[in-house]
Amino acid sequence: MRSSVTEMRAANESRTSSAAAHYIKRAFPIYLMVLPGLLSIVLFKYLPMFGVLISFQQYSPFRGIWGSEWVGLDHFVRLFTEQQFVTLLKNTLFLNLIDICFYFPAPIIFALFLNEVRARWFKATLQTVVYLPHFVSMIVVVGITVVLFASEFGGINQWLDVIGLPRYEGLNDPDHFRWIWLLQNIWKEVGWSAIIYLAALASIDPTLYEAAKMDGANRWRQIWHITLPSLAQVILILFILRLGSFIDIGFEHIFLLQNPLNLAVSDVFDTYIYRIGVQQGEFSYTTAVGLFKSVVGLVLVLTANAIAKRSGKEGVY
């Protein structure tokens, strides 16, 4: 009896292993396609995590990681007691808040608008025009803005001089800096960010709209009761993922627009890390700042995902 049970188990294991081998062989091209991305994540995301150790050290390039002096939480204490910490946190939070309030809904609105367009030629043309800015470097985008609005030689200001109107000093005005940054983000990325929403819209069952029409629902009612609920899960997942970079506003765009006149509102953690870490060589301290940003993002993602799960929604995991 025992021998027959053992033989059955061995046969089942053999069938399972052969089925797994067959599946791997059939899906091998897909695994091969995924391999470069997986390697890049391991090499550039996971392996550098080892360097987080220097945030607890007084790191010296000459001594290396294991030879540098351990200082514990001293760098974190310095960060939270730094006079600039409140300003950095306030600027970063404000930029992220206006980004979530204005930029995050923009691709959703654009996708809904594009979904309602019936003329295919107009829809295709509009998609192409709005997608193109994504492929333009942010350096070029900021450069165009400077050329147009620079206080002395900007094309717009020269034209304003001709017609006798005051010059626009938005790039040097702290009150205008944030909105210029936001508008550039929207102009450059709204079309590209809308792709995932358009894909979700394409998966909605057309019979739902036909049934709604039979019930007398107009286009606004169809959008409110069919389209938006169908997009709700995608919107929720992308919102949770967006919270992961809530403190990580990005370096390049801010740095390119930054100047001494708008520094009071444009100085964020990323530019602070560049200034103190790269220019002044305080690697351990700025690594601690970067670790603080990562921990805040992780906590926000976990919290938002837990709230979504408790509300009966599907979270990120």
Side-chain angles (χ1 to χ4, degrees):
M1 182 69 177
R2 291 182 179 178
S3 61
S4 63
V5 171
T6 304
E7 290 176 359
M8 290 177 62
R9 287 180 178 176
N12 289 333
E13 290 177 359
S14 176
R15 283 196 296 267
T16 302
S17 60
S18 62
H22 175 71
Y23 177 80
I24 292 174
K25 182 178 180 181
R26 186 179 64 179
F28 182 75
I30 298 177
Y31 291 136
L32 196 62
M33 182 177 64
V34 172
L35 184 62
L38 185 62
L39 288 177
S40 68
I41 291 175
V42 172
L43 290 175
F44 299 108
K45 297 295 183 181
Y46 283 95
L47 290 182
M49 287 183 182
F50 177 73
V52 170
L53 289 174
I54 70 174
S55 62
F56 304 97
Q57 298 176 325
Q58 191 60 47
Y59 174 72
S60 170
F62 302 102
R63 296 181 179 180
I65 292 180
W66 299 117
S68 299
E69 178 186 358
W70 290 87
V71 296
L73 300 176
D74 288 357
H75 296 304
F76 296 94
V77 173
R78 174 187 169 185
L79 170 64
F80 298 134
T81 56
E82 191 76 34
Q83 186 177 4
Q84 291 179 280
F85 177 75
V86 175
T87 301
L88 295 171
L89 185 62
K90 180 181 69 175
N91 291 341
T92 304
L93 291 179
F94 189 86
L95 287 172
N96 271 295
L97 284 174
I98 64 173
D99 185 74
I100 288 178
C101 292
F102 296 99
Y103 170 73
F104 185 79
I108 303 173
I109 296 171
F110 176 71
L112 292 174
F113 169 76
L114 207 60
N115 189 56
E116 297 300 315
V117 175
R118 293 294 174 260
R120 291 188 177 181
W121 66 269
F122 180 73
K123 185 175 183 178
T125 303
L126 185 60
Q127 278 184 291
T128 303
V129 171
V130 179
Y131 288 173
L132 283 178
H134 170 77
F135 301 99
V136 179
S137 170
M138 186 58 73
I139 297 175
V140 176
V141 174
V142 175
I144 292 173
T145 306
V146 171
V147 169
L148 291 176
F149 295 104
S151 58
E152 295 181 2
F153 57 86
I156 299 296
N157 282 328
Q158 289 183 359
W159 181 74
L160 292 175
D161 286 340
V162 171
I163 63 177
L165 293 177
R167 292 182 174 183
Y168 177 70
E169 303 287 347
L171 295 177
N172 299 327
D173 190 340
D175 295 332
H176 292 182
F177 165 81
R178 292 161 172 165
W179 305 108
I180 292 174
W181 171 84
L182 176 66
L183 290 174
Q184 287 180 343
N185 275 342
I186 293 175
W187 177 80
K188 187 175 185 300
E189 298 296 341
V190 67
W192 187 259
S193 300
I195 291 177
I196 190 168
Y197 298 111
L198 291 170
L201 289 171
S203 65
I204 300 176
D205 188 356
T207 59
L208 295 175
Y209 293 107
E210 294 175 4
K213 288 180 182 178
M214 294 179 65
D215 290 337
N218 57 26
R219 295 304 300 176
W220 290 109
R221 287 291 183 181
Q222 293 174 37
I223 292 173
W224 183 258
H225 293 288
I226 298 175
T227 308
L228 287 178
S230 300
L231 287 178
Q233 185 61 38
V234 176
I235 294 172
L236 178 62
I237 291 175
L238 292 179
F239 180 75
I240 294 174
L241 294 176
R242 174 64 184 82
L243 290 178
S245 58
F246 193 73
I247 298 295
D248 188 11
I249 195 65
F251 169 74
E252 182 187 20
H253 192 188
I254 297 287
F255 182 73
L256 291 170
L257 287 173
Q258 193 176 77
N259 60 56
L261 296 175
N262 61 34
L263 190 63
V265 298
S266 65
D267 198 17
V268 294
F269 285 109
D270 295 277
T271 56
Y272 180 72
I273 288 173
Y274 171 75
R275 190 169 62 253
I276 303 299
V278 177
Q279 294 183 336
Q280 299 182 20
E282 298 192 36
F283 303 114
S284 294
Y285 172 58
T286 49
T287 302
V289 178
L291 183 58
F292 161 73
K293 290 168 43 189
S294 300
V295 170
V296 171
L298 177 63
V299 170
L300 288 174
V301 168
L302 294 178
T303 303
N305 191 77
I307 293 173
K309 300 284 279 187
R310 288 194 175 187
S311 301
K313 306 293 184 181
E314 293 185 13
V316 177
Y317 59 91

